[in-house]
Amino acid sequence: TPLVEMEGISKIYQTGTIALQDVNLRIPEGEFVSFVGPSGCGKSTIFRLIAGLGDPTSGTMRLMGMDPADARKQSDISFVFQDATLLPWCKVIDNVTLPMELRKIPKQERIDKAMHVLEMVGLQDYAHALPRQLSGGMKMRVSIARALASEPKLLLMDEPFGALDEMTRQTLQDELLGIWQKDKKMTVLFVTHNVFEAVYLSTSIVVMSARPGKIAETISVPVPFP
Ligand code: ADP
Ligand code: ADP
């Protein structure tokens, strides 16, 4: 069964904006799918529907072959946004463990997992630093670590590297690819304005068009790592 399945999904906001019209999408487990298209074509709306922030106006959606609400209860869906939103008064490690605390994961396990993901993104030495002591790229790394700590089935990333300089962007792209390749079970959905980034990272690219938001085409990218 596909991990994400949308059939005839439309979303009309209360303002009357038709954000999505008749979107059909099937994403198999383990794929890395990039979404590209002009501003306002509905990329964020698709992500919000998957995350459960709002319901579609019409159409059917299944996650992991289940009703979306059940799927969200049973397995983890993590989000990373463009602006790495860390709690400024909490140390790096506390920012990473907080979502696990909300899920009632025992303390020692939270700390072990947090240190493991911080190591993956090269920030183990900054566990006890405060966010303001970190650069923008390092904050984004913490944000990625936090999303990965709960070992999500599905990782939604909405332009995560948009605000970073080119060097940092490339480093983080490679870190993300490494993590995704290691754990073939994680599915990544990724919004980017950068077509080169989409080609570099993805197994397939969903190209959208606006007014109304639709999927124009889906392109398979040849496997980057044989
Ligand atoms: P993208 O992420 O591709 O830029 P969005 O999904 O954010 O596109 O938006 C799609 C369309 O829906 C846009 O026209 C946007 O202005 C509109 N829209 C998004 N969110 C809302 C909302 N909460 N209320 C009303 N209109 C919205
Ligand atoms: P982006 O294109 O960067 O994804 P969005 O268009 O999604 O940004 O807008 C960010 C926020 O503003 C979202 O929470 C969205 O719900 C809200 N929003 C976007 N467009 C509208 C709109 N036309 N009316 C009301 N809220 C909107």
Side-chain angles (χ1 to χ4, degrees):
T1 55
L3 199 90
V4 176
E5 227 177 337
M6 287 186 162
E7 252 181 56
I9 290 285
S10 297
K11 174 71 183 182
I12 305 171
Y13 285 108
Q14 277 168 2
T15 51
T17 302
I18 305 174
L20 296 174
Q21 191 172 64
D22 194 23
V23 165
N24 297 297
L25 190 64
R26 284 171 148 263
I27 297 174
E29 185 178 358
E31 296 279 306
F32 195 126
V33 183
S34 285
F35 289 72
V36 300
S39 190
C41 67
K43 304 180 293 290
S44 302
T45 298
I46 288 186
F47 278 37
R48 287 197 290 265
L49 290 177
I50 292 171
L53 308 169
D55 291 315
T57 308
S58 58
T60 54
M61 183 165 76
R62 292 181 84 69
L63 298 177
M64 301 148 205
M66 291 179 261
D67 178 78
D70 293 336
R72 285 183 209 106
K73 262 179 246 154
Q74 286 179 34
S75 39
D76 188 39
I77 298 176
S78 293
F79 249 110
V80 177
F81 295 107
Q82 177 164 7
D83 48 341
T85 43
L86 305 178
L87 299 175
W89 59 87
C90 289
K91 289 180 196 175
V92 163
I93 184 146
D94 298 329
N95 268 282
V96 176
T97 53
L98 183 66
M100 292 188 272
E101 196 172 341
L102 298 177
R103 285 203 183 79
K104 311 254 189 279
I105 292 172
K107 185 168 183 188
Q108 194 54 50
E109 191 181 337
R110 305 201 284 268
I111 294 171
D112 292 347
K113 282 194 166 152
M115 286 312 296
H116 176 68
V117 290
L118 284 172
E119 239 165 74
M120 285 206 289
V121 298
L123 286 179
Q124 64 275 25
D125 295 340
Y126 291 84
H128 297 280
L130 285 168
R132 68 176 140 80
Q133 296 170 280
L134 307 180
S135 70
M138 289 158 96
K139 281 185 211 158
M140 185 49 76
R141 280 193 168 85
V142 176
S143 174
I144 293 170
R146 179 177 56 190
L148 292 170
S150 47
E151 295 168 15
K153 286 290 283 178
L154 181 57
L155 178 59
L156 300 167
M157 304 180 98
D158 196 343
E159 281 198 76
F161 306 149
L164 303 178
D165 66 88
E166 198 48 38
M167 282 288 283
T168 310
R169 172 194 286 264
Q170 279 174 20
T171 310
L172 286 191
Q173 283 174 347
D174 289 331
E175 270 168 16
L176 177 62
L177 266 186
I179 291 164
W180 171 73
Q181 282 179 287
K182 220 185 285 173
D183 175 6
K184 290 278 184 199
K185 293 230 180 292
M186 183 171 69
T187 308
V188 183
L189 306 192
F190 191 91
V191 170
T192 178
H193 276 113
N194 183 330
V195 175
F196 296 103
E197 182 169 66
V199 171
Y200 182 58
L201 292 176
S202 326
T203 54
S204 69
I205 301 175
V206 173
V207 183
M208 298 187 63
S209 57
R211 284 184 291 279
K214 278 178 193 266
I215 293 176
E217 58 181 321
T218 303
I219 302 165
S220 292
V221 182
V223 181
F225 297 90

